[in-house]
Amino acid sequence: MSAKSAINKELFTPHDEKMLAGVQVKRRTKKKIPFLATGGQGDYMTFICLSVTNKKPSHVSLTKVKQFQGSSAFVKRSQWTIDQLRQVNGIDSNKDCPEFDLMFDNGLDQWVASSAGEKCTFIQILHHTCQRYCSARKPEFINCQSKLLGEGLDTVIYHCKVYFNRMRKDLGPHRGPPQKQGNSILHSAADSVTSAVQKASQALNERGERLGRAEERTADMMNSAEQFAVTAHKLEVIHGRRVRDEENSPDTAAIWH
């Protein structure tokens, strides 16, 4: 079980909540401590988790969770409501980077995620969640790539559909059972992939999870469709050979004569 799955199971599920996203982070700058604490708990991992209650009306929270060295348990350290979030700073709008800032009513936290991809996924889901659940003032998202702000998903799905339709038109109606069989296989594959894209999109919109990977998955699906086309062509060639062999066989010739 992954750390995020364990956090969801231990900290959120028992309180009738579900975790929408989580990112492992470290502080970019040392936090000022007014005194030196003795007998500390040593090194720890920190996660910023986004969660929502299952009961209506829904309440969305951002929670800082820690796991201390030598312990398998996760502990909630700080929590904010989504309405307390004022600004999300993606640091660089031109490229992926692991740094980001979260500004709340009572302070600013500067983080660096374990990877740029994990940070991008978290910000994309956070933006989607704010648009869905924030009823009053929505937090400001600055220095974020456009793909993180919900502008890319529908476009990707649209282009995927156009791609499959173009493949069908390019094939067109052909004569003969071999081509018909190849078209049937390819069309079935394209329909399956298109359906998978639509279901994935619906699931992502409902759950707010893994939105940052939608473009990569769609590209994989498109590559799979191309592989289906290659397979269909190979089946067409094999089937055509079998038909010719049967037509030229002595038994077939004897039947016709």
Side-chain angles (χ1 to χ4, degrees), residues 87-103:
Q87 186 184 86
V88 178
N89 189 342
I91 305 301
D92 195 329
S93 61
N94 297 317
K95 64 179 181 180
D96 293 344
C97 67
E99 297 85 8
F100 68 100
D101 296 344
L102 298 178
M103 180 183 291

Side-chain angles (χ1 to χ4, degrees), residues 28 62 81-91 100-111 122-123 126-127 130 134 137-144:
R28 292 208 312 276
L62 283 164
T81 66
I82 199 70
D83 293 328
Q84 291 178 295
L85 180 63
R86 290 289 168 255
Q87 186 184 86
V88 178
N89 189 342
I91 305 301
F100 68 100
D101 296 344
L102 298 178
M103 180 183 291
F104 299 95
D105 288 335
N106 57 353
L108 171 69
D109 285 332
Q110 297 178 312
W111 302 108
F122 179 78
I123 287 185
L126 178 59
H127 179 267
C130 290
C134 289
R137 181 176 61 178
K138 292 179 173 60
E140 180 185 20
F141 285 75
I142 63 172
N143 299 322
C144 296

Side-chain angles (χ1 to χ4, degrees), residues 58-69:
S58 301
H59 295 283
V60 181
S61 301
L62 283 164
T63 307
K64 181 165 64 178
V65 175
K66 291 187 177 183
Q67 182 185 38
F68 292 95
Q69 187 177 32

